[in-house]
Amino acid sequence: ALYIHNAHIQSAGDIKVEKEVFSSILETNNKCNVMRGKISSSSVSAKKGIIAGEIGSEAAAPCNLTVGIDTIGNNKVNHIIEQIAVKKKEQNKLEDLSAGLQQEIKNLDDELESIPQEEDKARLEQMSLQKSLQECQKKGDALRIEKIEGAIRFLDSRINQVYENMDSTLARQEEIQEEINKHNQEIKRYRQEIENLKAEANDITELSKSEKGIAEIRVSGLIHVLTNITAPHSSCTLSEDRQHVLISEVTTEEPEQPSEWKMRISPLK
């Protein structure tokens, strides 16, 4: 490209610009090359490093530069992590619903266990009333007979109600089990999708690790003060303008001291 203005570009290959990158976001898994041009008011991430004629300006907002890091891969992984979190939340919600429905089935089981007892009690009362009815019929006690027959009919209705309640309870259990089965299928689907996403994130991470980054910035002209630079293990903000420099991440090794990463600024050769 000759110019890139007000754009957001992602690329798996090199990004090459002849003249200027302005107010843009560039991300590449390789190199960003603006060797004879200028980068200003922009965010540039290049895993294999940045080459530019000039970076920043006195009037424009500072540039944010990232080198040696697979920003595209990291963004993909972060997006996958967000997807996993959403799916996990939905999975947990379904698991809670399923657990609640399982408890409801258990409660209905307890109700079903009490139904035979209610029926037995009603039938025993009927048997007792039948005996009393026979005695009253022998005596010809019409008023008593009418009351006992009414009580027997009431118990018949109670027994019928018991059967209706049992049928209703069994039907409700079937409905709940269907809901549970549906939820379990959805839970299974979410689990598989989460596993697939984890595998995808792992593949992206492994591929990123297999391709080593180059944490360096080469500027043939001026790189302005306040330019922010981020590398895999360190970062810095320039405190002054620098001319014709190589900025790279290096590790320091002092005797009897732990190694430390830092950004080194040296003359460009």
Side-chain angles (χ1 to χ4, degrees), residues 134-166:
Q134 290 174 1
E135 293 175 2
C136 290
Q137 287 172 340
K138 290 177 183 178
K139 296 178 181 179
D141 189 343
L143 183 60
R144 182 66 175 161
I145 289 172
E146 183 179 353
K147 288 183 179 180
I148 292 174
E149 287 177 342
I152 291 172
R153 287 194 297 273
F154 172 74
L155 289 172
D156 281 335
S157 68
R158 268 180 58 187
I159 292 170
N160 290 335
Q161 186 63 52
V162 167
Y163 284 122
E164 288 177 8
N165 290 344
M166 182 174 66

Side-chain angles (χ1 to χ4, degrees), residues 51-116:
I51 301 174
E54 183 178 356
I55 297 176
S57 69
E58 292 181 2
C63 289
N64 295 302
L65 310 177
T66 301
V67 288
I69 297 172
D70 184 2
T71 302
I72 294 175
N74 289 348
N75 288 342
K76 287 180 179 178
V77 170
N78 289 336
H79 179 63
I80 289 171
I81 290 171
E82 290 174 0
Q83 288 181 292
I84 289 173
V86 170
K87 291 181 183 295
K88 186 64 178 177
K89 184 177 179 180
E90 291 300 316
Q91 178 188 320
N92 291 340
K93 189 185 298 183
L94 288 171
E95 287 174 346
D96 289 342
L97 285 172
S98 184
L101 291 171
Q102 289 284 5
Q103 183 59 48
E104 189 173 346
I105 282 183
K106 185 179 181 303
N107 294 340
L108 292 173
D109 280 337
D110 293 340
E111 290 181 21
L112 288 172
E113 288 180 5
S114 68
I115 286 175

Side-chain angles (χ1 to χ4, degrees), residues 212-223:
K212 188 177 180 181
I214 301 173
E216 66 175 31
I217 300 168
R218 295 174 176 268
V219 190
S220 57
L222 191 66
I223 180 168

Side-chain angles (χ1 to χ4, degrees), residues 232-244:
H233 309 288
S234 59
S235 63
C236 72
T237 299
L238 295 188
S239 59
E240 61 182 355
D241 294 345
R242 302 300 293 262
Q243 181 95 23
H244 198 69

